[in-house]
Amino acid sequence: MSINIFAQNSDSATFYYNIGLQEKSNQRLLVAHQAFEKAISFNSQYADAYLANAQVLLEMRRTDKAKENFTKLYELQPSNKEAIKELTELHYSYRQYEKAIEFAGQCSDCENAYRIIGMSQYQLEDYAAAEKALVKALEKNATDAEATYTMARCFLDMEEYKKAVPWYEKAVAMPGTKNTWMYELGLLYYNNNDYRNAVLSFEKAAANGYEQKNDFNENLGFASLYAGDYDKGEQLLLG
């Protein structure tokens, strides 16, 4: 009797799974999701249904439920490459950095595994580990502005200011750079007594929309004075 029930459940699971695939191919995502859920209700070990359901949920931007399904798939199939890849990305996007590192370490097919490890280690304040991973990430993609900036921040936070400068210089020259990076580079130049470059970086940050509050004007003012532009420095500091 129990064998017959299992066979019936298995047949029903396959039936709804196939409906889900058809609806998915027709971009009827909600109906596909409902069919995959039905398939799973008949067979809670149906790995293919969890994968298809998770993919549909991602397309629907229901990332919480997608993560649940990928997690269940991973529990059923710990070597499933798709589950590992997606859980790497999802844990990172959820700022679950330790889990992101764990899954990225298993993701041999992930192009951005070292990037996620490096960025996550930085957020966990393990700057030395972050540096090692980011070096490998940048070997794969030398034009990654965010990773380049994070490398600069690693050296900054380790108080290795002279090592930070060239990474900042690379980051601010890349597409996707931010005015805050330019301002931070200006502060580094200032602290290294390179006042002319500090002025240039502060002015570049301002030209790119950095808000010129009192502390900005003060830093630019003193940098201008020390660079020999006394009129500009006095105007900023006194005006």
Side-chain angles (χ1 to χ4, degrees):
M1 183 71 174
S2 62
I3 294 174
N4 289 336
I5 292 172
F6 176 80
Q8 290 170 2
N9 284 349
S10 180
D11 289 344
S12 296
T14 302
F15 173 76
Y16 283 107
Y17 173 71
N18 287 331
I19 289 176
L21 290 180
Q22 184 62 46
E23 297 295 348
K24 180 173 180 276
S25 70
N26 292 330
Q27 284 297 298
R28 287 163 51 87
L29 300 181
L30 179 58
V31 180
H33 161 59
Q34 291 169 340
F36 293 135
E37 287 283 306
K38 197 75 174 173
I40 290 165
S41 74
F42 281 106
N43 180 4
S44 62
Q45 306 298 302
Y46 202 161
D48 287 345
Y50 283 111
L51 174 58
N53 200 24
Q55 290 170 336
V56 164
L57 287 162
L58 273 186
E59 284 194 68
M60 296 168 67
R61 300 186 180 182
R62 294 178 59 183
T63 53
D64 286 352
K65 290 294 291 182
K67 187 162 165 282
E68 287 178 16
N69 279 263
F70 280 123
T71 299
K72 183 62 180 178
L73 174 60
Y74 177 75
E75 290 170 357
L76 292 171
Q77 298 180 345
S79 61
N80 188 290
K81 292 182 179 181
E82 186 71 14
I84 292 168
K85 177 179 179 294
E86 294 297 343
L87 286 170
T88 299
E89 297 281 358
L90 285 164
H91 282 300
Y92 181 70
S93 69
Y94 276 64
R95 301 185 180 183
Q96 296 167 335
Y97 297 118
E98 291 179 348
K99 296 295 289 184
I101 292 166
E102 176 189 335
F103 279 94
Q106 301 175 57
C107 197
S108 57
D109 294 339
C110 294
E111 279 294 315
N112 62 345
Y114 284 119
R115 183 186 195 276
I116 285 177
I117 291 171
M119 303 290 270
S120 297
Q121 293 287 17
Y122 177 78
Q123 293 296 330
L124 295 172
E125 299 183 7
D126 189 343
Y127 305 125
E131 177 201 344
K132 290 178 183 178
L134 289 169
V135 165
K136 293 179 180 178
L138 289 165
E139 286 173 358
K140 289 179 173 287
N141 182 8
T143 62
D144 186 333
E146 196 75 38
T148 303
Y149 168 71
T150 304
M151 178 72 90
R153 288 291 314 196
C154 285
F155 288 116
L156 180 68
D157 291 330
M158 289 190 290
E159 299 183 357
E160 296 187 47
Y161 303 123
K162 289 186 178 179
K163 288 184 179 180
V165 168
W167 288 103
Y168 265 106
E169 289 173 338
K170 288 181 182 179
V172 300
M174 290 178 173
T177 189
K178 298 177 182 177
N179 55 33
T180 53
W181 305 356
M182 301 169 191
Y183 182 65
E184 289 173 13
L185 176 57
L187 292 174
L188 266 176
Y189 283 137
Y190 186 95
N191 290 330
N192 288 334
N193 301 323
D194 187 351
Y195 302 116
R196 291 188 184 279
N197 277 324
V199 169
L200 291 174
S201 289
F202 291 146
E203 290 178 338
K204 188 176 180 181
N208 282 273
Y210 192 87
E211 191 173 357
Q212 299 174 59
K213 294 182 178 179
N214 289 338
D215 58 341
F216 176 91
N217 289 328
E218 183 175 303
N219 287 325
L220 178 55
F222 279 114
S224 298
L225 280 177
Y226 298 146
D229 191 342
Y230 301 111
D231 290 342
K232 180 177 180 179
E234 288 177 359
Q235 182 181 0
L236 285 162
L237 293 170
L238 301 177

